[in-house]
Amino acid sequence: MKQDNLYQQIHSMKNLFFAFKKARKGKTKKYYVKRFEKCLIKQLLTLSIELKSQKYSPEPLRTFILRDPKTRKISKSTFRDRVVHHAIVRIMDPIFDKNFIYDSCANRKGKGNLFALKRFDLFKRKITNNLNSKAFCLKADIKHYFQEVNHKILLTAIERKIKDEKVMWLIKQILGGGEQGKGMPLGNLTSQFFANIYLNELDRFIKYELKAEYYIRYVDDFVILHSSKEQLEIWKNEIDNFLKEKLKLELHPDKSKLIPLSRGIDFVGFRNFCHYRLLRKRNIKKMYLMIKKYKRKEISKDKLFESFQGWQAYAKWADSYKLRKRLEENICEIL
């Protein structure tokens, strides 16, 4: 992606149109999408003019609490602002993505949960000589990651690649002031994209300075596999020091542990053991809860069926054939 006229590329009508198509994906029936689409050309033209003249200002976020199962504060932008987020990422992503390590898995084209699981399985086999020897995993989590991202450090990382002052102005608009210049709303596409830019510093430290071969990161969760528990302990301390000194972050003390692979590693939604993979118990409970809601007439038949299809597509990545059949039979009995 050429950096000539980068800001112009972002606010072009062509880019905004493709950004709109991405933003509405899976949400075509939502009232706010239909309302925006009703006067689409006018909406996009107004956005383009506001961006070009640097008069654009994001609307207030809608914040709600999600308990699934841990309590999280989700901040949602208006659909109009989400179009702008997609417009930014469409242009900036090709510039940054080529600098990310191969095993940075979240929010990248062709790299999601399934990719991370496959890489974990490959690394697991390599480090254990095809499951014939013992190995350990540093399973780590960054404490309050999205709340603690330092804007100054993030902007410095972006400025290494982006020299366009107008693009930087727009990014600052999206970030907002935050509490003492830190934090990003959990739920925005730009937050997910900026998260990878910010933690690319950590990725490169672990891969190229510590030379950890079997490392995978998925947003603020990461794993490192090694045959030596002592080596992982050393790396854990060095990583925590790096996070504190360079990125103003720290490892979560309760969620960052050294675990034998034989005990199973909780990663990207599954409990990964040496010879098999299980669903997290909470993901099973979630589906049983949907069945109870249907029985209490709190949700429709279509909603239950839609939920089960989504859950089934996810659950088949685990060794869950009997569980899926049992749930399917339960649903068939009540429909």
Side-chain angles (χ1 to χ4, degrees):
M1 178 69 69
K2 290 184 179 179
Q3 290 223 30
D4 301 338
N5 304 315
L6 206 59
Y7 191 65
Q8 189 176 327
Q9 292 176 52
I10 290 172
H11 68 67
S12 72
M13 284 291 286
K14 181 181 178 182
N15 187 48
L16 288 172
F17 176 70
F18 282 117
F20 157 73
K21 288 180 77 174
K22 287 237 177 189
R24 76 167 181 175
K25 191 174 180 181
K27 300 177 177 68
T28 52
K29 294 180 181 178
K30 298 286 187 182
Y31 77 93
Y32 54 79
V33 176
K34 289 179 179 178
R35 188 175 60 192
F36 191 94
E37 198 168 11
K38 194 174 181 181
C39 305
L40 181 60
I41 300 303
K42 184 183 175 183
Q43 292 273 21
L44 296 182
L45 190 59
T46 303
L47 262 183
S48 182
I49 291 167
E50 285 182 19
L51 288 166
K52 186 177 180 180
S53 61
Q54 291 183 272
K55 290 180 180 176
Y56 167 77
S57 180
E59 294 174 14
L61 298 165
R62 185 170 69 87
T63 300
F64 56 95
I65 303 299
L66 188 68
R67 292 178 175 86
D68 187 27
K70 63 182 179 182
T71 301
R72 291 179 294 164
K73 189 170 108 172
I74 306 293
S75 298
K76 206 170 182 179
S77 294
T78 62
F79 184 73
R80 184 176 188 267
D81 290 329
R82 277 181 261 167
V83 171
V84 175
H85 298 169
H86 278 278
I88 293 168
V89 174
R90 279 194 83 246
I91 300 303
M92 286 180 60
D93 183 62
I95 296 167
F96 284 91
D97 191 77
K98 58 191 176 187
N99 197 47
F100 295 156
I101 67 163
Y102 187 74
D103 290 307
S104 163
C105 300
N107 311 307
R108 296 177 70 194
K109 192 174 181 180
K111 295 189 176 182
N113 291 52
L114 185 56
F115 176 85
L117 286 172
K118 286 178 178 177
R119 293 297 284 174
F120 186 90
D121 282 348
L122 175 67
F123 291 173
K124 176 181 72 180
R125 290 186 175 277
K126 284 190 172 184
I127 202 66
T128 60
N129 299 311
N130 207 23
L131 309 179
N132 288 314
S133 57
K134 287 184 181 180
F136 299 87
C137 177
L138 167 58
K139 168 69 175 73
D141 179 285
I142 296 170
K143 187 179 178 182
H144 301 150
Y145 174 57
F146 281 91
Q147 296 161 249
E148 297 295 329
V149 166
N150 183 289
H151 290 184
K152 188 176 179 182
I153 294 172
L154 173 62
L155 291 168
T156 299
I158 294 172
E159 282 170 342
R160 291 194 197 110
K161 293 281 184 184
I162 304 293
K163 305 303 178 187
D164 190 318
E165 289 181 6
K166 289 182 178 179
V167 175
M168 295 308 300
W169 168 83
L170 180 56
I171 290 167
K172 288 171 187 174
Q173 291 293 109
I174 298 296
L175 285 174
E179 186 185 338
Q180 300 174 340
K182 67 179 182 179
M184 297 189 297
L186 186 60
N188 279 356
L189 174 70
T190 44
S191 297
Q192 296 164 16
F193 175 62
F194 295 151
N196 277 342
I197 295 174
Y198 200 86
L199 288 180
N200 187 47
E201 308 288 316
L202 173 67
D203 295 341
R204 299 184 77 79
F205 171 73
I206 293 174
K207 287 294 287 185
Y208 304 125
E209 291 192 40
L210 298 185
K211 301 191 185 303
E213 191 175 356
Y214 303 122
Y215 165 71
I216 311 165
R217 180 176 63 79
Y218 192 90
V219 194
D220 55 345
D221 288 343
F222 64 86
V223 291
I224 306 176
L225 277 60
H226 202 279
S227 56
S228 167
K229 188 177 181 180
E230 291 72 23
Q231 180 62 73
L232 287 175
E233 190 67 65
I234 292 166
W235 282 348
K236 181 186 175 187
N237 292 331
E238 289 180 321
I239 289 165
D240 203 26
N241 289 336
F242 176 86
L243 285 169
K244 287 172 181 172
E245 291 172 17
K246 302 292 184 182
L247 299 178
K248 309 300 179 192
L249 300 169
E250 61 181 296
L251 293 177
H252 197 297
D254 301 325
K255 297 179 182 178
S256 303
K257 299 175 181 177
L258 301 177
I259 307 165
L261 279 179
S262 58
R263 269 182 49 196
I265 311 301
D266 197 338
F267 186 53
V268 290
F270 296 87
R271 293 160 62 208
N272 300 274
F273 293 86
C274 284
H275 298 279
Y276 56 95
R277 182 188 300 135
L278 299 178
L279 282 168
R280 281 177 176 167
K281 288 180 182 177
R282 68 169 178 254
N283 291 328
I284 301 170
K285 286 178 182 176
K286 211 155 99 174
M287 197 58 238
Y288 276 112
L289 181 62
M290 293 302 288
I291 293 171
K292 285 181 181 177
K293 282 185 175 181
Y294 175 74
K295 286 179 177 178
R296 295 197 297 256
K297 298 184 179 180
E298 293 174 16
I299 60 169
S300 66
K301 184 195 295 185
D302 288 345
K303 180 64 180 174
L304 174 63
F305 190 64
E306 181 188 327
S307 295
F308 180 65
Q309 281 188 312
W311 179 86
Q312 200 172 36
Y314 173 79
K316 70 180 182 183
W317 294 357
D319 296 281
S320 61
Y321 177 77
K322 288 182 180 178
L323 171 66
R324 284 183 281 130
K325 291 302 288 182
R326 188 164 65 248
L327 270 166
E328 190 175 341
E329 288 167 5
N330 286 354
I331 290 170
C332 286
E333 283 175 10
I334 62 173
L335 288 181

